[in-house]
Amino acid sequence: MTSHQSAQTMKPATAAKKLGVYLEATPAEFREGVVSRDELNALQADPPAWLRDLRRDGPHPRPVVAARLGISISGLARGGITDPLTTEQIDALKQDSPEWLVRERATQAEVRKEAVRLKDRRKEQEAGGDSSRS
C-alpha cells in the first residue's frame, strides 16, 4: 500500500451547497472548475471577499432563505418563494410578516416541539428498563 491519495474533488454545485451560497452568484472561475476537498476547506477556513459578500448579502439559496426565515423549504414553496433572495429581501419579509410566513413559522415551531417530545420519549424508554439492548 502506498500513502499517496488522489485529491478528492467535487462539482461546483456541491461545493456551493456545502458553502451555503447560490451557485449562479459565484465567480465564473468557481462555477467552471472543480473544487478539491483541500480548496473547500481553505474557502471555509479563510473565505475570500466574494464568499464573505455572498454569505452576508446574498442572493441566498433556498435552504439558507428558509433557515433565516425560520421555516422549512416546503414552507417557502407554499409561500410562493421559489427564487433566491438577498438579505435585504429576507429582512423585508420578516418586517412585513405576511400571513403565510406567520403560519409557516407556527408550523415549524410545532414540528420542532414534536421532535423534542419524541426524543425525550425515546430517552425515557431507553432508560426505563430496556436493559435487553446493549
Side-chain angles (χ1 to χ4, degrees):
M1 274 197 243
T2 64
S3 62
H4 177 70
Q5 237 180 335
S6 62
Q8 200 178 18
T9 60
M10 62 193 81
K11 294 178 182 176
T14 303
K17 187 175 182 179
K18 289 180 182 285
L19 292 169
V21 295
Y22 182 56
L23 177 63
E24 302 306 315
T26 61
E29 58 270 10
F30 180 86
R31 288 192 309 267
E32 295 165 1
V34 294
V35 180
S36 73
R37 174 63 64 185
D38 290 339
E39 289 169 331
L40 179 69
N41 291 339
L43 287 170
Q44 289 172 324
D46 186 24
W50 65 265
L51 182 54
R52 287 191 306 271
D53 292 346
L54 270 180
R55 285 178 169 170
R56 183 184 60 243
D57 303 326
H60 304 287
R62 287 180 307 144
V64 173
V65 173
R68 288 187 177 199
L69 290 174
I71 63 175
S72 67
I73 295 173
S74 299
L76 274 181
R78 286 189 292 270
I81 306 293
T82 56
D83 295 327
L85 298 179
T86 64
T87 299
E88 188 176 308
Q89 291 169 315
I90 293 168
D91 291 343
L93 265 176
K94 285 179 182 177
Q95 193 72 26
D96 295 346
S97 199
E99 188 256 321
W100 68 266
L101 180 57
V102 172
R103 187 176 56 247
E104 290 300 333
R105 282 180 163 174
T107 299
Q108 193 66 21
E110 287 298 317
V111 167
R112 286 189 200 109
K113 196 164 104 178
E114 180 66 6
V116 168
R117 186 189 71 79
L118 291 173
K119 183 179 177 184
D120 290 346
R121 184 172 155 201
R122 277 192 298 274
K123 282 182 183 177
E124 287 174 14
Q125 287 174 343
E126 289 172 3
D130 211 3
S131 60
S132 62
R133 291 172 51 193
S134 294

